[in-house]
Amino acid sequence: MNRLDGKVAIVTGAGRGIGRAIAETFAREGAVTIATGRAAEDASFGDIDYRTLDVAKEADWKRVVAEVVDQYGHIDVLVNNAGIIAYETLHELTVEDWNTVVATNQTGTWLGMREVIPHMIAQGGGSIINISSIWGSVAVAGAHAYHATKGAVRNMSKSAAITYAKENVRVNSVHPGFIVTPLTDAQAPEINEFVVSQTPMGRAGQPSEIANGILFLASDEASFVTGSELVIDGGYLAQ
């Protein structure tokens, strides 16, 4: 079943992990999928259109959105997935590292919405899915910059949903729990073991499990869903 037939979708941070799973799922479901990432060497997507995009750079967003509209005529779905994390404690994190996390996770999400929303309004609607995290709702020691930005994404999504509801631009956030990705593989094993041990289902999630939830929000099946938080975390936040 092609649940995204006729739709044009942009996915950020699509070089690996959750972003790549989203892009591949969208393409299988019939969307013209534009996968984006900072590195040109991530462009191993076969038939999926790949563009370099640093989400923290306004000029990159303007270029990519203009190129997509020029080539395909419209943008129906935006998934703001790109994100980074820093584990230094609050009193140890540098201003430079703080600004880098904020620029990618928070400003990048804002820039993406700002650039696509005028096109979505003009065409009569669209769906924006912003990837927050369970850490946008609860916290662990350290990672304060990540918590701050993912909390911002959560509430910014709700504000955008209310602001553009009458234009039929739907905005929702997705809150993954611990997912097996290159990002989590690079973390200290004790961090991963702790989060999995606190997950009621007793295992890590897979990128495809996040992508399937995002597919629903991107599709017309979710036509009455906006301002929501889709939690996909093995029960973590239910505790």
Side-chain angles (χ1 to χ4, degrees):
M1 181 170 68
N2 291 330
R3 296 161 71 184
L4 299 181
D5 242 359
K7 296 188 185 299
V8 176
I10 297 174
V11 181
T12 71
R16 55 186 188 165
I18 292 172
R20 191 179 186 99
I22 296 165
E24 291 173 345
T25 298
F26 279 12
R28 282 197 305 271
E29 291 291 338
V32 173
T33 304
I34 296 88
T36 72
R38 287 185 297 183
E41 58 265 29
D42 287 336
S44 55
F45 282 90
D47 293 335
I48 297 176
D49 188 349
Y50 183 90
R51 312 287 173 106
T52 55
L53 168 65
D54 182 339
V55 297
K57 294 181 178 179
E58 181 181 18
D60 277 20
W61 271 113
K62 288 185 176 297
R63 171 181 54 80
V64 168
V65 169
E67 288 173 356
V68 172
V69 171
D70 183 62
Q71 183 170 351
Y72 299 111
H74 51 103
I75 299 172
D76 304 289
V77 180
L78 169 65
V79 182
N80 280 310
N81 167 73
I84 58 175
I85 193 166
Y87 281 112
E88 290 83 359
T89 57
L90 193 148
H91 71 283
E92 295 173 319
L93 191 71
T94 66
V95 170
E96 180 182 7
D97 287 343
W98 166 269
N99 287 339
T100 298
V101 174
V102 171
T104 299
N105 297 359
Q106 183 173 338
T107 305
T109 297
W110 170 71
L111 283 170
M113 290 196 292
R114 192 188 70 170
E115 293 306 313
V116 304
I117 282 173
H119 297 285
M120 290 182 172
I121 291 173
Q123 69 198 26
S127 176
I128 297 173
I129 301 106
N130 295 325
I131 309 305
S132 180
S133 169
I134 55 173
W135 302 142
S137 300
V138 296
V140 292
H144 62 285
Y146 187 78
H147 291 311
T149 57
K150 291 303 185 178
V153 167
R154 175 181 181 237
N155 284 321
M156 185 164 53
S157 299
K158 291 181 182 297
S159 177
I162 294 167
T163 303
Y164 300 104
K166 287 186 170 55
E167 279 76 31
N168 198 34
V169 177
R170 299 185 294 104
V171 185
N172 296 285
S173 60
V174 172
H175 301 255
F178 183 84
I179 309 299
V180 177
T181 68
L183 179 67
T184 56
D185 285 344
Q187 293 176 160
E190 57 268 23
I191 295 174
N192 299 345
E193 291 165 6
F194 172 76
V195 180
V196 171
S197 74
Q198 301 300 303
T199 301
M201 290 187 73
R203 67 170 177 88
Q206 297 297 319
S208 61
E209 294 176 299
I210 306 302
N212 288 334
I214 292 168
L215 171 62
F216 165 70
L217 293 173
S219 75
D220 292 338
E221 297 163 22
S223 57
F224 198 51
V225 182
T226 196
S228 72
E229 300 172 33
L230 177 56
V231 176
I232 308 175
D233 70 347
Y236 190 98
L237 288 185
Q239 302 176 95

